[in-house]
C-alpha cells in the first residue's frame, strides 16, 4: 500500500500523539559532549531535551488539571535539592509546574482556535542558593486540534440572479464556508457542500460550492424566485462531522421570450364630432408578460380609412397606444372610421424567434357622434369695398352661413356692435346683406373690421362668427392746404427776385396715382409789386421778391394769398395766406429783429430802453396802489353797525392772536359782579410788579374811580392769570357802574347825554385805552365832540 507525503505526515503525528497519551511524553535529560558547565564547584555537561515540544488536546473537559509532560534535570538526584520553575506564555496562569517533580499541568480549557501553541522557558534552580544549575531551556506546547468548530458561511445569506430559460448547468453563484479547525490535521476542516432545499431546479458542486441550474426552460412568468438551503459539512461529509447552512435567494431575470398580444381582436369607441384636434380618442394596450426593456412596444396604424385623420403614439410609462385626432371630425361628412393597428416589441431576442412573431394586430372602429354645431360661414373672412361717397343704405355685400347639422335650421344674422361702436353698418337678419347706416369718411377710418353673428333660429345658443373687412374707397373730398405753418421773413435789404420761402402742400385724400398740386397767386394778389410766386412743378412753389428793399416803419407785415389746386376729379382748391414779416437782418441775411420801431422817438432811444421805461412806470403804479390799499385798511369805521351787538369785544390785533382763547381770556361772570373776589394767580410768562393781596370796597368810592379801578383790576388779573392766553385784549363790559351819570357805557345814548363825566384820563393809561378816550373824552380830538 502506497502512502503519500501528506498521509505519511499524518501517520507520524498519530504515533506522536499515541506516545504522549502513553506517558512517553516525559522529557529526559542526557549528557552531551559539549563544553562542561561549572557551577557551585561541580563539573557537569549541558543537558539536552529529548522532545522540544509537547502536545496537549484542546477542549479538555475533566475536573483535574490536564497533564502535559515532565521536565527532569540530570543533576536532580531526587533528594529535593533541585526545584523547577516555568516562565513564558501562559506560565502560572494556564500552565503550572511541580517544582519538585517537574510535572507540567494545564489548569484551564485550551482552545486551539484562540491560540495554537505556547512558547515557554524552563529552568532548574538550586533550592538552597536559588541559583540555576543548568542554562534556561525553551520549548513549545502545541495545542492538538479536535473537530469542535462547524463550517460557517461568513457572506451569507446570498442573493443571486440568473436569466430565465437558461440551459442546464448555468452557474448562478458560488457559496463559501470556512471552518476554524486545523486544516493541516485530519479532516476537521475539510468541507463538502450539499443542497438541502431547491431541488430539482438547482444543484451545488460538493467541493467548490458553485450553484448551477438543474432544469431547462425555467420560466420567470411561471415562477420568478427560488429559495435554496445549502449545507457545508466537515470531516469530508462523514458521519460525526459538524455542519452549517445558509440560504440563497435566486431570482430569474426576464428575457424577451413573450410576444405582445392584444386581449381583443377589435375595439370600438364613440367620439363627438366637436372633439378638438389633438384630443385623445382611445387608449389600447397589447399585453406582454415580459417586463422592463423587454416589454417596450411600438404601435402604428397599418391600414384603414382614418390614416390621415388619426395617429397613434406610445405612452412610455404604461406602454399603451394613444390614439389622437389630427383633423376635425364632421358627422355630416363621415360617421365612422376603421383603423388597423399593429403592436410590436422594440427589442427582439433572436434566441426566441421561434416563439414569435413578436407582434400582434387589432382593429379599432371609431364612431363619430352628431353634435348640434353653430352655423358655419361660407368664408372665414369676407373682404368688401365701398366708396366714402356712398349714401346711407348703400349695399356693400352679402355674407352667408348655414347650419352644418342634418336639421339645417334657418339662420339669422346680426352685427356684433362691440366691433361697430359708431353703427356705421346694418345687416339684414334674414338675407345677410350688409348696408351703410351712416356717411363714411375714409380719412377718419380707412378700414372697418366687423364681426357678424349667425344664430340658429331653433337654438339661439348656437352662434357662429364671421369676420368682414370693409375697405373705404377714397374720393377727392379734401382741398389741399399748406404742409405746415410757415414763418416767412424778408430782409429790409432784400433784392428783387430773391427766394424768401419754399412752400409745399398736403391733401388728406389718397389718389391711386398720387398727388399733383398747382400753385398760383389769387387774382387780387397777382399784380402786387412786392412778391410773386413760382410753381416748381414738383408739388412745391417758391415765393420771390419783386422789388428791392423793404422798410419796417412803412409796413412790417405782408399777407400773400396763395391759390392751391389738386389733381383730383373733380379737382378741389383752397386759398392759403402766407404771412411775411419784414426784419432787420445781419450781413449774412439772418433776421435779427422783426418788430416795428417807433421812429418818432429821439435818436438813440431803442426798443429795449422803451420797454424798461414802461416797466418802471408800471412798477410805480403798483406800489402806489398797494400803499393806498394799506392805508384804507388801517382806518376802521368808528361808528358801529346797527346790526352789530354793541357789547361785543373790541380787540386790537397786532398779530395773529391766540385763536379762540382770546375771547375766553376773562371770566365774564366776574366782570358782571364787583363783589366777587378772585384769588390772584401768578402768570407763568409775566412777573407782575405789584401783587394785589386785597381789594378796596367799591361802594364808597366815586363812580369814575370805581370804573377805573374795576378796569385796572381786571387788567392786572389778566396779566397774572396763568390760564390766560399770551395776548391781552381790550374789551367793553356790560357793567354800568354804581350811580353812573351815563347809566351805561355800552349805550350809544351816552354820547349825547349831559353827563359831566370826563374820560380824558383814559389817555394816560397808555395806548390800549386811547381808543376809549377818543370815544368818550371831551378833548378837541374826541371823535364825538
Amino acid at each position: 500500500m502506497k502512502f503519500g507525503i501528506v498521509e505519511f505526515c499524518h501517520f507520524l503525528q498519530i504515533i506522536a500523539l499515541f506516545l504522549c497519551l502513553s506517558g512517553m511524553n516525559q522529557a529526559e535529560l542526557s549528557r552531551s559532549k559539549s563544553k562542561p558547565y561549572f557551577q557551585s564547584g561541580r563539573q557537569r555537561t549541558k543537558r539536552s531535551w529529548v522532545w522540544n515540544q509537547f502536545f496537549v488536546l484542546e477542549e479538555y473537559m475533566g475536573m483535574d488539571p490536564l497533564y502535559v509532560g515532565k521536565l527532569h534535570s540530570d543533576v536532580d538526584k531526587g533528594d529535593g535539592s533541585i526545584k523547577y520553575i516555568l516562565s513564558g506564555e501562559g506560565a502560572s496562569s494556564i500552565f503550572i509546574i511541580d517544582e519538585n517533580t517537574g510535572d507540567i499541568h494545564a489548569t484551564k480549557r485550551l482552545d486551539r482556535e484562540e491560540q495554537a501553541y505556547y512558547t515557554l522557558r524552563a529552568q532548574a534552580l538550586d533550592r538552597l542558593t536559588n541559583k540555576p544549575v543548568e542554562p534556561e531551556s525553551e520549548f513549545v506546547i502545541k495545542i492538538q486540534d479536535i473537530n469542535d468548530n462547524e463550517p460557517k458561511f461568513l457572506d451569507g445569506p446570498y442573493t443571486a440572479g440568473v436569466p430565465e430559460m437558461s440551459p442546464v448547468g448555468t452557474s448562478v453563484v458560488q457559496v463559501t464556508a470556512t471552518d476554524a479547525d486545523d486544516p493541516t490535521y485530519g479532516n476537521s476542516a475539510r468541507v463538502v457542500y450539499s443542497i438541502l432545499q431547491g431541488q430539482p431546479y438547482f444543484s451545488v458542486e460538493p467541493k467548490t460550492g458553485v450553484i448551477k441550474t438543474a432544469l431547462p426552460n425555467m420560466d420567470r412568468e411561471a415562477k420568478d424566485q427560488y429559495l435554496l438551503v445549502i449545507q457545508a459539512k466537515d470531516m469530508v461529509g462523514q458521519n460525526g462531522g459538524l455542519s452549517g447552512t445558509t440560504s440563497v435567494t435566486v431570482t430569474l431575470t426576464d428575457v424577451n421570450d413573450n410576444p405582445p398580444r392584444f386581449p381583443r381582436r377589435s375595439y370600438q369607441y364613440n367620439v363627438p364630432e366637436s372633439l378638438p384636434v389633438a384630443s385623445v380618442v382611445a387608449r389600447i394596450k397589447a399585453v406582454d408578460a415580459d417586463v422592463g426593456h423587454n416589454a417596450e412596444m411600438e404601435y402604428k396604424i397599418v391600414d384603414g380609412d382614418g390614416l390621415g385623420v388619426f395617429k397613434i403614439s406610445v405612452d412610455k410609462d404604461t406602454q399603451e397606444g394613444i390614439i389622437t385626432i389630427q383633423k376635425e371630425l364632421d358627422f355630416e361628412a363621415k360617421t365612422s372610421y376603421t383603423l388597423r393597428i399593429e403592436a410590436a416589441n422594440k427589442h427582439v431576442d433572436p434566441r426566441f424567434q421561434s416563439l414569435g412573431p413578436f407582434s400582434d394586430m387589432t382593429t379599432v372602429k371609431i364612431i363619430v357622434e352628431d353634435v348640434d354645431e353653430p352655423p358655419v360661414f361660407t368664408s372665414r373672412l369676407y373682404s368688401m369695398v365701398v366708396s366714402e361717397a356712398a349714401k346711407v343704405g348703400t349695399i356693400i355685400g352679402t355674407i352667408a352661413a348655414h347650419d352644418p347639422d342634418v336639421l339645417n335650421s334657418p339662420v339669422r344674422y346680426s352685427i356684433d356692435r362691440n366691433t361697430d361702436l359708431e353703427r356705421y353698418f346694418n345687416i339684414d337678419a334674414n338675407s345677410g346683406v350688409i348696408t351703410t347706416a351712416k356717411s363714411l369718411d375714409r380719412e377718419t377710418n380707412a378700414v372697418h373690421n366687423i364681426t357678424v353673428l349667425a344664430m340658429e333660429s331653433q337654438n339661439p345658443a348656437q352662434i357662429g362668427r364671421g369676420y368682414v373687412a370693409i375697405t373705404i374707397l377714397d374720393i377727392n373730398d379734401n382741398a389741399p392746404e399748406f404742409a405746415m405753418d410757415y414763418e416767412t421773413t424778408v430782409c429790409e435789404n432784400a433784392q428783387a427776385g430773391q427766394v424768401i420761402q419754399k412752400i409745399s402742400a398736403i391733401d388728406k385724400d389718397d389718389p391711386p396715382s398720387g398727388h399733383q398740386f398747382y400753385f398760383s397767386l389769387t387774382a387780387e394778389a397777382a399784380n402786387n409789386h412786392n412778391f410773386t410766386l413760382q410753381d416748381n412743378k414738383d408739388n412745391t412753389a417758391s415765393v420771390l421778391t419783386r422789388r428791392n428793399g423793404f422798410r419796417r416803419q412803412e409796413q412790417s407785415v405782408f399777407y400773400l394769398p396763395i391759390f392751391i389746386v389738386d389733381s383730383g376729379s373733380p379737382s378741389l382748391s383752397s386759398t392759403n395766406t402766407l404771412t411775411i414779416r419784414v426784419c432787420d437782418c445781419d450781413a449774412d441775411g439772418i433776421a435779427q429783429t422783426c418788430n416795428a420801431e417807433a421812429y418818432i422817438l429821439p435818436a438813440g432811444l431803442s426798443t429795449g430802453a422803451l420797454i424798461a421805461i414802461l416797466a418802471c412806470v408800471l412798477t410805480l403804479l403798483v406800489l402806489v396802489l398797494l400803499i393806498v390799499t394799506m392805508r384804507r385798511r388801517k382806518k376802521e369805521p368808528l361808528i358801529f353797525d346797527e346790526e352789530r351787538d354793541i357789547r361785543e369785544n373790541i380787540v386790537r390785533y397786532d398779530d395773529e392772536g391766540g385763536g379762540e382763547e382770546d375771547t375766553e381770556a376773562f371770566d365774564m361772570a366776574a366782570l358782571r359782579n364787583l363783589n366777587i373776589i378772585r384769588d390772584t394767580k401768578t402768570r407763568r410768562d409775566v412777573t407782575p410788579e405789584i401783587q394785589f393781596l386785597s381789594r378796596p370796597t367799591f361802594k364808597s368810592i366815586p363812580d369814575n374811580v370805581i370804573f377805573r379801578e374795576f378796569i385796572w383790576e381786571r387788567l392786572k388779573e389778566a396779566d397774572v392769570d396763568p390760564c390766560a392766553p399770551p395776548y391781552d385784549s381790550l374789551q367793553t363790559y356790560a357793567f354800568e357802574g354804581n350811580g353812573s351819570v351815563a347809566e351805561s357805557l355800552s349805550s350809544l345814548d351816552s354820547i349825547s347825554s349831559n353827563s359831566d363825566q370826563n374820560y380824558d384820563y383814559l389817555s394816560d393809561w397808555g395806548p390800549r385805552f386811547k381808543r376809549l378816550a377818543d370815544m368818550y373824552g371831551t378833548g378837541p380830538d374826541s371823535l364825538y365832540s
Side-chain angles (χ1 to χ4, degrees):
M1 186 174 183
K2 297 182 180 179
F3 291 91
I5 297 177
V6 176
E7 288 78 2
F8 180 74
C9 292
H10 290 167
F11 179 74
L12 291 179
Q13 290 176 353
I14 293 172
I15 293 177
L17 178 61
F18 177 78
L19 292 176
C20 290
L21 295 176
S22 301
M24 297 302 294
N25 56 352
Q26 177 180 353
E28 297 185 355
L29 303 176
S30 61
R31 298 184 182 275
S32 64
K33 296 181 181 181
S34 60
K35 290 181 72 176
Y37 174 73
F38 297 96
Q39 187 176 8
S40 301
R42 293 181 293 179
Q43 183 177 2
R44 61 176 293 278
T45 59
K46 182 179 181 181
R47 64 108 179 105
S48 61
W49 303 104
V50 175
W51 301 100
N52 62 355
Q53 67 180 7
F54 296 115
F55 293 92
V56 60
L57 287 176
E58 65 172 336
E59 304 294 344
Y60 172 70
M61 305 298 293
M63 299 299 294
D64 299 328
L66 178 63
Y67 181 75
V68 178
K70 184 180 181 65
L71 296 179
H72 185 72
S73 174
D74 56 358
V75 299
D76 186 1
K77 303 302 183 181
D79 54 1
S81 60
I82 303 299
K83 68 176 181 179
Y84 300 93
I85 62 173
L86 198 64
S87 62
E89 293 179 310
S92 300
S93 60
I94 299 177
F95 302 101
I96 59 174
I97 189 171
D98 189 330
E99 64 178 9
N100 296 319
T101 63
D103 293 329
I104 302 174
H105 292 82
T107 61
K108 294 183 178 180
R109 181 175 64 87
L110 301 177
D111 187 358
R112 188 201 67 84
E113 285 71 41
E114 292 182 2
Q115 189 164 346
Y117 61 91
Y118 296 86
T119 301
L120 296 101
R121 293 180 297 278
Q123 195 167 36
L125 301 178
D126 187 286
R127 188 178 296 278
L128 296 177
T129 61
N130 205 30
K131 292 183 178 181
V133 297
E134 287 187 1
E136 185 179 62
S137 296
E138 183 177 86
F139 63 95
V140 174
I141 298 177
K142 189 173 182 181
I143 309 304
Q144 191 68 44
D145 182 51
I146 64 172
N147 190 18
D148 61 339
N149 291 278
E150 73 277 4
K152 294 182 179 180
F153 293 91
L154 301 180
D155 296 330
Y158 296 85
T159 57
V162 63
E164 62 174 331
M165 310 300 289
S166 295
V168 176
T170 302
S171 295
V172 179
V173 68
Q174 183 178 16
V175 297
T176 303
T178 58
D179 195 320
D181 293 325
D182 188 358
T184 64
Y185 178 72
N187 295 323
S188 298
R190 295 184 63 185
V191 177
V192 293
Y193 300 94
S194 61
I195 183 168
L196 301 182
Q197 178 180 325
Q199 299 96 342
Y201 305 103
F202 298 93
S203 63
V204 63
E205 288 285 343
K207 293 183 178 181
T208 62
V210 176
I211 299 173
K212 299 181 179 180
T213 58
L215 285 180
N217 301 327
M218 285 192 293
D219 191 0
R220 183 198 67 84
E221 289 72 34
K223 185 176 182 180
D224 62 347
Q225 198 171 79
Y226 297 85
L227 180 64
L228 312 182
V229 178
I230 306 298
Q231 174 183 269
K233 189 174 184 180
D234 58 13
M235 298 298 293
V236 200
Q238 298 176 2
N239 294 333
L242 302 178
S243 63
T245 60
T246 188
S247 64
V248 180
T249 301
V250 179
T251 301
L252 297 183
T253 58
D254 186 59
V255 297
N256 192 8
D257 59 338
N258 292 278
R261 292 290 179 263
F262 284 106
R264 298 165 56 183
R265 293 294 90 191
S266 64
Y267 298 85
Q268 180 173 311
Y269 299 95
N270 294 349
V271 296
E273 63 174 333
S274 59
L275 203 64
V277 174
S279 298
V280 176
V281 174
R283 286 175 175 264
I284 60 174
K285 184 178 182 180
V287 178
D288 192 332
D290 298 321
V291 294
H293 179 77
N294 298 314
E296 293 182 0
M297 282 180 283
E298 294 177 325
Y299 295 88
K300 61 181 178 180
I301 301 174
V302 296
D303 196 7
D305 55 1
L307 287 174
V309 181
F310 303 93
K311 71 173 183 178
I312 189 168
S313 59
V314 63
D315 187 329
K316 294 183 179 179
D317 296 328
T318 63
Q319 295 302 313
E320 291 178 308
I322 304 174
I323 302 175
T324 55
I325 301 176
Q326 283 186 299
K327 295 181 179 179
E328 293 183 352
L329 302 178
D330 187 0
F331 172 82
E332 289 71 28
K334 190 173 181 61
T335 60
S336 66
Y337 296 89
T338 301
L339 307 175
R340 188 74 174 161
I341 297 177
E342 179 188 60
N345 278 137
K346 291 179 65 176
H347 311 285
V348 179
D349 193 334
R351 296 177 299 170
F352 307 105
Q353 285 282 9
S354 59
L355 302 177
F358 283 80
S359 63
D360 196 17
M361 304 281 288
T362 190
T363 300
V364 178
K365 187 173 184 179
I366 299 174
I367 305 298
V368 181
E369 297 178 343
D370 187 24
V371 176
D372 190 6
E373 300 174 275
V376 177
F377 285 88
T378 56
S379 176
R380 296 183 62 87
L381 177 64
Y382 294 89
S383 297
M384 301 178 182
V385 295
V386 62
S387 173
E388 64 176 326
K391 297 181 179 180
V392 174
T394 301
I395 296 177
I396 302 174
T398 304
I399 55 98
H402 69 281
D403 181 8
D405 300 318
V406 176
L407 297 177
N408 193 18
S409 300
V411 175
R412 294 183 61 84
Y413 303 96
S414 63
I415 294 176
D416 185 354
R417 291 305 177 183
N418 291 324
T419 60
D420 185 25
L421 297 175
E422 301 295 331
R423 295 180 176 267
Y424 284 109
F425 307 98
N426 287 329
I427 188 170
D428 187 274
N430 298 316
S431 63
V433 175
I434 299 175
T435 59
T436 59
K438 283 184 178 182
S439 297
L440 303 176
D441 186 7
R442 188 202 65 85
E443 287 71 37
T444 301
N445 193 351
V447 178
H448 294 265
N449 294 302
I450 63 174
T451 300
V452 177
L453 306 179
M455 181 187 305
E456 289 186 14
S457 299
Q458 296 182 2
N459 186 4
Q462 296 295 334
I463 301 175
R465 286 175 168 78
Y467 303 97
V468 181
I470 302 176
T471 302
I472 309 302
L473 298 179
D474 184 43
I475 63 171
N476 191 26
D477 58 344
N478 290 277
E481 57 186 12
F482 279 159
M484 58 182 294
D485 292 333
Y486 293 102
E487 295 182 0
T488 306
T489 61
V490 59
C491 294
E492 289 182 308
N493 56 356
Q495 301 296 318
Q498 180 178 342
V499 177
I500 60 173
Q501 182 69 59
K502 188 175 183 180
I503 60 174
S504 61
I506 57 173
D507 194 331
K508 294 180 180 179
D509 296 321
D510 187 17
S513 58
H515 287 289
Q516 180 63 48
F517 300 113
Y518 304 96
F519 300 88
S520 63
L521 294 178
T522 59
E524 59 270 18
N527 297 320
N528 77 90
H529 301 287
N530 301 308
F531 305 98
T532 186
L533 185 69
Q534 176 182 324
D535 192 338
N536 298 325
K537 308 299 182 180
D538 59 354
N539 289 340
T540 65
S542 299
V543 178
L544 298 87
T545 58
R546 299 187 70 174
R547 63 185 178 88
N548 297 328
F550 295 85
R551 292 178 61 81
R552 280 179 293 164
Q553 63 272 22
E554 294 179 357
Q555 186 173 350
S556 61
V557 178
F558 293 90
Y559 299 99
L560 185 66
I562 299 176
F563 188 70
I564 308 176
V565 182
D566 61 18
S567 58
S569 178
S571 61
L572 296 180
S573 62
S574 67
T575 299
N576 298 262
T577 301
L578 182 67
T579 301
I580 305 173
R581 297 183 181 277
V582 180
C583 298
D584 180 24
C585 302
D586 58 11
D588 297 327
I590 299 174
Q592 299 298 315
T593 178
C594 298
N595 295 325
E597 297 181 355
Y599 283 88
I600 60 174
L601 294 178
L605 187 60
S606 64
T607 303
L610 180 61
I611 293 173
I613 292 172
L614 291 175
C616 291
V617 171
L618 289 176
T619 303
L620 291 174
L621 289 175
V622 171
L623 289 176
V624 170
L625 290 175
L626 287 176
I627 291 171
V628 171
T629 303
M630 295 287 289
R631 287 182 177 275
R632 287 184 177 179
R633 288 187 178 180
K634 285 185 178 181
K635 292 183 180 181
E636 298 179 356
L638 299 178
I639 301 176
F640 296 102
D641 296 337
E642 294 180 357
E643 296 180 357
R644 293 179 59 189
D645 189 350
I646 59 175
R647 292 175 296 174
E648 289 180 352
N649 297 342
I650 298 176
V651 183
R652 178 180 178 182
Y653 296 95
D654 292 332
D655 47 46
E656 299 263 346
E660 293 179 357
E661 294 183 356
D662 281 344
T663 61
E664 300 174 358
F666 303 99
D667 186 1
M668 300 301 294
L671 296 177
R672 296 178 185 273
N673 190 350
L674 292 176
N675 297 324
I676 296 177
I677 300 176
R678 299 168 57 187
D679 295 335
T680 302
K681 300 179 182 178
T682 303
R683 184 166 174 172
R684 290 172 292 179
D685 60 334
V686 177
T687 302
E689 298 177 358
I690 300 174
Q691 296 287 342
F692 291 91
L693 302 178
S694 63
R695 300 178 183 175
T697 302
F698 296 109
K699 292 182 179 180
S700 60
I701 303 176
D703 289 344
N704 60 343
V705 178
I706 291 173
F707 183 78
R708 180 176 58 203
E709 291 296 331
F710 175 78
I711 296 298
W712 186 256
E713 182 71 15
R714 294 297 176 264
L715 180 61
K716 287 298 183 180
E717 286 182 359
D719 288 339
V720 299
D721 187 2
C723 297
Y727 308 106
D728 295 333
S729 61
L730 181 62
Q731 308 185 30
T732 61
Y733 304 106
F735 174 68
E736 297 182 357
N738 291 334
S740 173
V741 178
E743 295 181 356
S744 175
L745 290 177
S746 61
S747 175
L748 294 177
D749 295 335
S750 63
I751 300 174
S752 60
S753 67
N754 297 324
S755 172
D756 57 352
Q757 179 72 32
N758 184 8
Y759 296 98
D760 292 336
Y761 64 90
L762 294 176
S763 300
D764 300 330
W765 289 6
R768 302 177 181 177
F769 301 96
K770 190 176 187 310
R771 180 66 60 86
L772 283 176
D774 294 340
M775 292 173 61
Y776 299 102
T778 58
D781 296 331
S782 175
L783 294 174
Y784 301 105
S785 59

